């Protein structure tokens, strides 16, 4: 019976894989079982954030030292740039092993890689359909048949660059936008809607191309998408609960309606056995293996009736403000800031809010 293992490892720089290397050397991590690595790197999280590519290269070289190149290439490397505020750079390593005994149902992990996305399909229905198929493939890889058992879908999606736009236009194809920063938003949006379709949250027939990145009434409560320059396809990781898996780990999710709505997250922690009226105490904190969240500045420029200026700052992108803000709110709840907060929550939770997933060790 498969058993999921999750390791959270601190990083001193985007290419610092020494903690993973030490865990492999000690036998704590078996590279043959690694399914995915999620990383928070201290770049700007924008088009020119090459910290993500540096991290991906460092991880690839690490795993190629322990695995054949083809096997190393199957590991999903989902790098999220931007550790604003007190957010701590770190890796979250997802590993699949085998064993008997332990509690069931338990955390189940699946992954999928899509083909390269034609650049003219980015931010359009073609990307929605490709991601929906990829999420279904990742669910199958995890052995999860019922979408209701999925608690989080982490997707790394591509973006447009000037060179990619020129390549599409040379073929006579028109891209959705020539604004490379806007392309990040559209790619995240289409990918989130694809996940929502696969999970049965939104009817595919009800989505029009004009709604992608504009109709905030359409959203998924379990999708997390992150766009990056370091890939041209989609890497998809599905996390859920399955009776066919065993082990001490369990996952639950919540949806924050805005950046300070921590009570749904507290409720998810309580469902997993970490009940606390205030901040988690050290013993409970040690049982919380990983906290994953999305962050977004609301498009109306308001937060519970008061004006915010995240959208008006010409010096710092709103996604950077939102990441630091949401990380601070969640850190006050759980007692540390080694939290995976990804910015840009288009169609990921209600406008200004976002999905959150908590992984806990019940052992």
């Amino acid at each position: 019976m498969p058993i999921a293992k999750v390791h959270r490892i601190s990083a001193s720089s985007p290419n610092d894989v020494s903690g993973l290397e030490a865990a492999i050397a000690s036998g704590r991590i078996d590279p043959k079982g690694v399914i995915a690595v999620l990383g928070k790197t201290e770049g700007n999280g924008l088009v020119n954030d090459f910290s993500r590519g540096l991290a991906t290269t460092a991880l690839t070289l690490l795993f190629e030292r322990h695995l054949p190149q083809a096997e190393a290439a199957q590991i999903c490397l989902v790098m999220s740039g931007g550790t604003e505020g007190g957010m701590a750079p770190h890796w979250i390593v997802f590993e699949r092993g085998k064993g008997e005994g332990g509690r069931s149902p338990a955390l189940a992990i699946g992954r999928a890689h899509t083909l390269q996305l034609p650049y003219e399909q980015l931010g359009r229905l073609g990307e929605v359909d490709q991601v929906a198929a990829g999420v279904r493939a990742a669910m199958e890889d995890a052995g999860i048949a019922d979408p209701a058992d999925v608690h989080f879908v982490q997707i790394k999606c591509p973006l447009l660059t000037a060179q990619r736009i020129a390549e599409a236009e040379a073929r006579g194809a028109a891209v959705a936008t020539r604004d490379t920063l806007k392309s990040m938003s559209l790619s995240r949006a289409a990918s989130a809607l694809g996940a929502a379709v696969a999970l049965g949250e939104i009817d595919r027939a009800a989505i029009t191309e004009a709604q992608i990145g504009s109709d905030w009434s359409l959203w998924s409560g379990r999708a997390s998408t992150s766009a990056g320059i370091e890939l041209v396809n989609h890497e998809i990781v599905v996390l859920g609960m399955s009776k066919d898996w065993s082990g001490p780990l369990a996952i639950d999710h919540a949806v924050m309606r805005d950046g300070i709505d921590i009570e749904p997250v507290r409720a998810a922690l309580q469902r997993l056995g970490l009940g606390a009226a205030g901040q988690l105490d050290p013993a409970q904190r040690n049982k919380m293996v990983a906290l994953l969240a999305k962050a977004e500045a609301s498009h109306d420029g308001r937060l519970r009736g008061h004006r915010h200026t995240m959208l008006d700052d010409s010096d710092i992108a709103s996604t950077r403000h939102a990441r630091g803000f949401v990380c601070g709110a969640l850190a006050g709840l759980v007692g540390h800031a080694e939290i995976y907060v990804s910015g840009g929550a288009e169609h990921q939770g209600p406008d200004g809010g976002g999905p959150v997933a908590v992984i806990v060790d019940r052992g």
Side-chain angles (χ1 to χ4, degrees):
M1 182 176 285
I3 296 176
K5 302 176 183 179
V6 180
H7 315 269
R8 194 177 80 242
I9 300 172
S10 302
S12 63
S13 66
N15 64 339
D16 176 24
V17 295
S18 60
L20 279 78
E21 187 73 83
I24 292 172
S26 68
R28 189 160 66 93
I29 293 177
D30 180 357
K32 294 181 179 179
V34 174
I35 298 297
V37 180
L38 274 56
K40 281 303 306 182
T41 65
E42 59 251 54
N44 61 25
L46 303 177
V47 175
N48 64 332
D49 183 355
F50 298 106
S51 73
R52 296 172 304 214
L54 176 60
T56 298
T57 299
L59 289 166
T60 298
L61 293 174
L62 166 66
F63 287 114
E64 286 180 349
R65 291 197 291 271
H66 298 277
L67 298 170
Q69 190 174 43
E71 291 182 25
Q74 290 303 304
I75 299 173
C76 290
L77 302 177
V78 182
M79 302 298 106
S80 174
T83 53
E84 295 80 9
M87 196 187 320
H90 64 287
W91 315 108
I92 305 174
V93 183
F94 293 90
E95 182 184 351
R96 183 161 55 195
K98 287 191 176 295
E100 295 295 335
R103 297 176 64 171
S104 183
L107 175 65
I109 308 169
R111 67 181 173 194
H113 299 258
T114 71
L115 298 175
Q116 177 176 337
L117 179 75
Y119 300 133
E120 62 270 21
Q121 291 184 15
L122 185 145
R124 291 178 166 149
L125 290 173
E127 185 169 19
V128 173
D129 292 336
Q130 186 182 68
V131 170
V135 173
R136 294 186 187 105
M139 287 174 58
E140 183 177 357
D141 184 57
I144 299 176
D146 187 349
D149 292 330
V150 175
H151 287 279
F152 210 65
V153 179
Q154 181 64 57
I155 301 168
K156 189 68 186 181
C157 53
L159 55 79
L160 294 176
T161 63
Q163 183 177 355
R164 294 173 184 180
I165 293 169
E167 181 182 320
E169 292 177 342
R171 291 187 280 103
V175 294
T177 179
R178 300 192 87 259
D179 183 333
T180 57
L181 183 60
K182 176 67 174 176
S183 79
M184 296 184 73
S185 174
L186 287 176
S187 188
R188 290 191 300 257
S191 296
L193 291 174
V197 168
L199 298 177
E201 296 174 300
I202 299 175
D203 181 4
R204 167 63 176 83
I207 303 173
T208 66
E209 208 144 83
Q211 291 174 302
I212 299 173
S214 64
D215 184 350
W216 309 123
S217 69
L218 300 177
W219 53 271
S220 168
R222 292 171 282 172
S224 171
T225 69
S226 176
I229 198 171
E230 69 273 17
L231 79 173
V232 293
N233 66 332
H234 299 82
E235 300 197 357
I236 301 170
V237 182
V238 163
L239 305 172
M241 293 290 286
S242 173
K243 60 181 177 54
D244 296 323
W245 289 60
S246 66
L249 300 185
I251 186 171
D252 205 335
H253 76 277
V255 177
M256 298 173 70
R257 75 179 188 275
D258 59 37
I260 49 179
D261 185 26
I262 64 170
E263 291 310 315
V265 184
R266 190 193 308 277
L269 287 165
Q270 290 174 339
R271 290 193 295 271
L272 292 170
L274 300 186
Q279 192 175 96
L280 296 184
D281 62 39
Q284 292 178 317
R285 200 175 305 152
N286 289 335
K287 293 181 179 181
M288 195 193 72
V289 178
L291 181 58
L292 315 172
K294 287 299 301 186
E296 176 80 357
S298 57
H299 289 81
D300 64 0
R302 312 292 289 185
L303 177 60
R304 300 196 182 182
H306 302 287
R307 185 172 71 94
H308 69 71
T309 62
M310 290 185 278
L311 300 174
D312 299 323
D313 192 335
S314 300
D315 298 316
I316 302 174
S318 64
T319 54
R320 306 195 70 187
H321 281 288
R323 277 192 297 264
F325 182 58
V326 170
C327 180
L330 292 174
L333 174 62
V334 301
H336 70 73
E338 199 165 70
I339 303 171
Y340 187 95
V341 183
S342 171
E346 301 87 351
H347 305 302
Q348 301 151 71
D351 186 27
V356 179
V358 183
I359 300 174
V360 164
D361 188 337
R362 304 170 294 183

